[in-house]
Amino acid sequence: MTLSADTQAPDGAAEQGMTIVARTQAQMVRRRFFRHRAALAGMIVFGLVLVLAFSSIGFAGIPGWWDQSYITTGALVNQGKPTLSLSPFSIGDHPFGQDDIGVDYFAKTMRGVQQSIIVAFLVGIVATLVGAVVGAVAGYYRGRVEAVLMRVTDVMITIPVLVIAAVLGRRFGDAGVVPLGIVLGLTIWPTMARLLRGEFLSLREKEFVEAARAVGTPARRIIFRHILPNTIGVIVVSATLATANAVLLESALSFLGLGVQAPDTSLGQLINEYRTAFSTRPWLFWWPGIFIIAIALSINFIGDGLRDAFDPRQTRVRA
């Protein structure tokens, strides 16, 4: 019989012929995550959406398997209604239907998914990097450095994120998804900074940090080589949740006409463009909405699973 280190072994296990196998922290985190059913479901759904969006219509010059384009017009088939049928199952030429000018709506929705995911990941990366650096420096140095950085953070928090994002989105929306994602990431980093500052305030008083200071280790090395790796759980979970929030933020901006601009498209822009068709052609409204919900919920479930997996106080894994 084999017991892992995170399983309570009875006294005298060795004498009874049982082998106790030690698990690393990474193994325990991975084990707890893959036993989290909601996180697994979220990972599967998000993976399917990712593969579908980037393989169907292609990306960065790489062709996809779908033969329709998100910019090519054509004759309306069946008054633009979806040709997708579940009984009997059939995809047809335009499974999501067509828009006003005959563009295949499946291709258009997949393009919107691509743009929304790219913006969301850029926002998550930029917000994590900026928030991690600000929180780490403020939490370690304390004093005047902490006061200045935290006052800047407090000012950013007091201004509604949507207001800042709207101003920046209006300015950089025409430049493409990469600049838009970067500038939006610069609006939501304060939450990460405050969380990481709290972790650093606690860890900087630990014995291993005191020992590093005693032997003359430079502050930069202590921050990035000794303390920061011990906050990886907080960073990963916060980055995941920031990415999920970025999906909704980008959709809201595009809905207001301040995000991705034509001739390109995003999920929020599709909803904004066809919101008046909800009563007559609801599929033009529902398909982008379904993908927004699927992406946001799946990333949130993944973040929830990561939070539970990294939490050392977890004694059992929630189903």
Side-chain angles (χ1 to χ4, degrees):
M1 179 177 180
T2 301
L3 296 178
S4 63
D6 55 342
T7 304
Q8 295 294 328
D11 294 337
E15 288 79 357
Q16 298 177 20
M18 293 185 293
T19 303
I20 301 176
V21 179
R23 294 183 185 270
T24 64
Q25 179 67 22
Q27 289 174 326
M28 290 189 289
V29 168
R30 188 164 55 248
R31 183 168 179 263
R32 286 195 290 261
F33 177 79
F34 282 108
R35 291 175 61 186
H36 195 292
R37 295 179 184 176
L40 275 181
M43 188 168 63
I44 292 172
V45 170
F46 183 72
L48 290 175
V49 171
L50 202 65
V51 171
L52 179 65
F54 285 89
S55 68
S56 58
I57 63 172
F59 182 73
I62 302 175
W65 49 264
W66 189 247
D67 59 356
Q68 302 285 347
S69 170
Y70 67 93
I71 56 175
T72 303
T73 62
L76 288 178
V77 177
N78 193 26
Q79 299 179 341
K81 295 179 181 180
T83 58
L84 178 65
S85 174
L86 298 179
S87 179
F89 181 77
S90 174
I91 295 178
D93 294 330
H94 305 285
F96 288 6
Q98 295 171 280
D99 66 5
D100 299 330
I101 56 177
V103 177
D104 179 64
Y105 207 59
F106 173 79
K108 205 167 185 179
T109 303
M110 292 303 102
R111 180 60 177 179
V113 172
Q114 287 182 359
Q115 299 299 81
S116 296
I117 288 178
I118 291 172
V119 172
F121 271 95
L122 285 173
V123 170
I125 291 171
V126 172
T128 300
L129 290 176
V130 176
V133 171
V134 172
V137 173
Y140 181 81
Y141 285 105
R142 305 286 300 274
R144 186 173 300 176
V145 174
E146 179 190 22
V148 172
L149 291 177
M150 286 300 101
R151 295 301 75 77
V152 173
T153 303
D154 291 339
V155 170
M156 292 289 293
I157 290 177
T158 57
I159 304 175
V161 172
L162 191 59
V163 173
I164 304 176
V167 174
L168 295 176
R170 186 176 183 83
R171 173 65 178 83
F172 294 95
D174 293 328
V177 293
V178 174
L180 179 63
I182 292 174
V183 297
L184 291 183
L186 296 176
T187 68
I188 63 173
W189 59 264
T191 301
M192 166 71 80
R194 294 192 71 86
L195 286 173
L196 208 59
R197 169 182 168 269
E199 291 291 315
F200 264 72
L201 289 176
S202 174
L203 291 172
R204 73 188 299 274
E205 307 300 332
K206 298 295 184 181
E207 291 79 3
F208 69 92
V209 177
E210 294 292 341
R213 288 199 198 99
V215 298
T217 305
R220 184 175 60 181
R221 184 178 179 83
I222 293 176
I223 292 174
F224 292 102
R225 294 295 298 275
H226 295 281
I227 303 181
L228 200 60
N230 287 282
T231 65
I232 189 66
V234 174
I235 293 175
V236 170
V237 174
S238 298
T240 306
L241 298 179
T243 303
N245 291 334
V247 174
L248 302 178
L249 178 62
E250 186 279 329
S251 299
L253 288 179
S254 295
F255 179 79
L256 296 173
L258 303 174
V260 177
Q261 301 295 317
D264 218 328
T265 189
S266 70
L267 295 177
Q269 187 184 34
L270 289 176
I271 291 179
N272 176 47
E273 186 176 354
Y274 299 109
R275 68 184 186 276
T276 57
F278 180 76
S279 59
T280 57
R281 293 172 296 165
W283 59 87
L284 298 178
F285 182 89
W286 280 114
W287 287 119
I290 289 172
F291 277 96
I292 290 174
I293 294 172
I295 294 171
L297 279 181
S298 60
I299 296 178
N300 269 316
F301 284 148
I302 294 172
D304 188 49
L306 289 172
R307 183 196 63 201
D308 289 354
F310 278 106
D311 189 352
R313 295 167 295 181
Q314 286 288 328
T315 57
R316 64 182 180 89
V317 178
R318 296 187 302 166

